[in-house]
Amino acid sequence: MPQRAPYGSWISPITAADLASSGHPVDAGHFVGEEIWWSELRPSEGGRTSIRRSDRRGEPEDVLPPPWNARTRVHEYGGGAWTVTHDGRLVFAEFSDQRVYALRPGEHPIPLTPPPAVRAGLRYGELSVVGDEVWCVRETHSADGEVRRDICAIPLDGSGGGDPARPRSVVSGSHFLAYPRLSPDGRRLAWIAWDHPQMPWDGTELRVAELDENGVCGPGRVLLGGPEESVLQPQWFDDGSLYAISDRSGWWNLYRVDLGPQPPRPVCPLDADFGAPLWHLGVRWYTELADGRLLTTRTVGTDTLAVVDPSDGSISDLDLGDLTSLGITDLRGDRVLLRSGGAQTPGGLRVLDLGTGAVTDVRLGVDGLPDVAYLPTAQPITLTGPQGREVHAYAYAPRNPNYTGVDGELPPYVAFVHGGPTAHVAPALSMVFAYFTSRGIGVIDVNYGGSSGYGREYRNRLRGQWGIVDVEDTIAAVRGLADAGLADPRRLAIEGGSAGGWTVLAALTTSDVFACGASYYGVAELELFVQETHDFESRYIDGLIGPLPESKELYARRAPVNNVDGLSCPVLLLQGLSDPIVPPSQAERFRDAMVRKGIPHAYLAYEGEAHGFRKVETIVSSREAELSFYGQVLGFETPGIPRLELWRP
């Protein structure tokens, strides 16, 4: 029989060390000959990203050995950091110097791009092989801080490794570029372009231009898109037409786009998103099958894999069981490589056989799982927020087969607030969630207004309302749990990272709903933030709050650091000291304001960590600190967890 014990104090087999040592997130995969290669984050190796494959025994082995690290810093979020040539060479962007290298398995990498004049000042992303070159997006940082981008072609013969003139600039003409795609006859280039202050989910353009005899083209003509239309992933159908994704209908749908005067034609119009925010370069939401049909992923809260027939617009869903988070990474014949996971299924790389429907694991993001009885189940909920708007969330109740709560006690809950803020959460087997729920702490994961996955109107709810709608919707979610008698209204916490950290700090300084909060590298101040952050997001706040200088007063009024007088509960701040996106100064300003106000808090800063913690020791330290923090504030013991020392006046 389960024993009765206070929520939060349950003993769990899931430790913070388990989160770090058994977890190795797996991302993009490629078919290479008879093998499958994939990228894998290695927390036990300083957080480097390795490229791996299976050996003859079926065990993973490195194609890219340590200390090499396949990670690009284009837009700081990267994407498309590696590809494979037709003769089986790995081409990758090395994190330390951002140069592009090529290697044959078992040999030493050879540089394909020149050393930059500024450290890591030449960056390359969305790498793809075109003939005897690698085409990619190049980001150039000058000594005076100026940032330029173009699409360039890098010779595969290594001649560009010492000659800055050898990588050829193919096209520029806008501040941001993505998805360089060459037509089947090699005469035209299609790509996506946008400029400040647009973000790629606000407005982009599909451009096409003729290549001259030198393999260079001009700025091109716009076929689709604009400031209020987001276009993604162009893909040539033939030499005179393309597929592309556009949200002109209010949802990211597929369109057929001709080079002639015909208007774009929807392929399969639905109230669903066949795309998502372009945080990482090179992401695919559809691919063409051999028979001309399209394999697609679409989202309304959760992901569905489906086959679309462009000839008549029909769509056939594929049943993948529990897999509700899906991404297409490669295709060969009837075999599809999927980055996938579900509420009870660990994320990782899998092969789907379209002919048989069989799904085979290639490499999962965890080495092993605890007994399923310790894992929470996801309960989708829709609540009503202010002005009657819908708020979507997933609740994960406490679950441990050895314990139940004491009579008359309701469990504490932590609201998880995703980053972005234009991002999205789906039902997921999260060991972080299980770390809390197996101890008797509930979790609610919130898709507040501004999140993607519910159409453009839902995304646009945050326009000019950052720090208001996200806070109101998160509060509505936890109050809904409390009103339903599922959560203790006196023991509600809030946790988030990056933009989610902003929502944490904004909620704590403008409401009294939460007993405490934990901010992972969260934004706390705005005027200096837009000066200190990286180029990709430097104008993001224009849409979320307003442009400067017109909105200067609003920046000051919304910033949590200026509202600490409204704060009355403890706060935990966790920060990477090498973070280029949300610099440490953000957390430090908020810490200093709490000292002046006399608010109990802790500030943990980690050397060598950037935006998102990658090292074993950091993952262990931060999660144990967070659990100890909740225990001290919410009133339960945390057996076996080092006590976090809080600063007190």
Side-chain angles (χ1 to χ4, degrees), residues 204-215:
T204 62
E205 297 175 344
L206 167 59
R207 298 182 182 180
V208 173
E210 300 272 349
L211 290 162
D212 64 20
E213 64 275 10
N214 298 313

Side-chain angles (χ1 to χ4, degrees), residues 48 53 100 147 268 281 319 323 374 406 455 478 496 498 509-510 513 573 618:
R48 81 178 184 99
R53 64 182 178 185
V100 175
V147 182
C268 178
L281 290 171
D319 184 5
L323 299 178
Y374 293 97
V406 298
V478 296
S498 190
T509 53
T510 59
V513 172
L573 303 173
T618 307

Side-chain angles (χ1 to χ4, degrees), residues 270-493:
L270 287 176
D271 287 349
D273 278 332
F274 287 79
L278 190 65
W279 284 105
H280 302 95
L281 290 171
V283 180
R284 288 198 282 180
W285 294 277
Y286 71 95
T287 190
E288 189 173 9
L289 302 175
D291 61 5
R293 294 182 300 161
L294 302 176
L295 181 69
T296 67
T297 59
R298 75 176 189 278
T299 304
V300 182
T302 58
D303 295 340
T304 301
L305 194 70
V307 175
V308 171
D309 188 339
S311 66
D312 60 9
S314 62
I315 186 167
S316 301
D317 292 348
L318 303 179
D319 184 5
L320 298 182
D322 182 53
L323 299 178
T324 56
S325 180
L326 302 165
I328 300 167
T329 74
D330 203 3
L331 172 73
R332 175 174 292 180
D334 282 343
R335 302 172 70 215
V336 185
L337 274 178
L338 293 175
R339 185 180 60 251
S340 57
Q344 290 287 303
T345 307
L349 192 66
R350 296 175 170 89
V351 174
L352 167 66
D353 188 313
L354 292 172
T356 66
V359 178
T360 306
D361 295 345
V362 176
R363 176 67 166 163
L364 302 184
V366 293
D367 289 328
L369 291 173
D371 188 294
V372 69
Y374 293 97
L375 301 177
T377 58
Q379 177 65 43
I381 57 175
T382 301
L383 306 117
T384 302
Q387 290 81 54
R389 62 177 181 258
E390 288 187 341
V391 180
H392 302 287
Y394 297 95
Y396 301 81
R399 190 170 186 229
N400 184 317
N402 303 316
Y403 292 94
T404 186
V406 298
D407 290 341
E409 182 190 26
L410 291 172
Y413 260 78
V414 181
F416 273 65
V417 186
H418 67 67
T422 310
H424 173 78
V425 293
L429 195 163
S430 166
M431 292 299 290
V432 172
F433 291 177
Y435 179 72
F436 292 113
T437 57
S438 61
R439 288 171 166 79
I441 305 166
V443 166
I444 183 166
D445 209 8
V446 186
N447 277 319
Y448 50 84
S451 303
S452 55
Y454 301 96
R456 186 170 184 115
E457 185 277 330
Y458 200 87
R459 285 200 322 274
N460 284 352
R461 289 181 186 180
L462 212 55
R463 282 196 171 183
Q465 298 297 306
W466 195 35
I468 297 177
V469 165
D470 48 328
V471 169
E472 290 177 344
D473 287 2
T474 304
I475 289 174
V478 296
R479 278 183 169 158
L481 289 177
D483 291 346
L486 300 175
D488 186 341
R490 298 163 301 174
R491 296 195 295 169
L492 300 172

Side-chain angles (χ1 to χ4, degrees), residues 500-524:
W502 156 278
T503 304
V504 168
L505 300 178
L508 297 179
T509 53
T510 59
S511 77
D512 59 0
V513 172
F514 298 99
C516 62
S519 168
Y520 283 75
Y521 33 87
V523 178

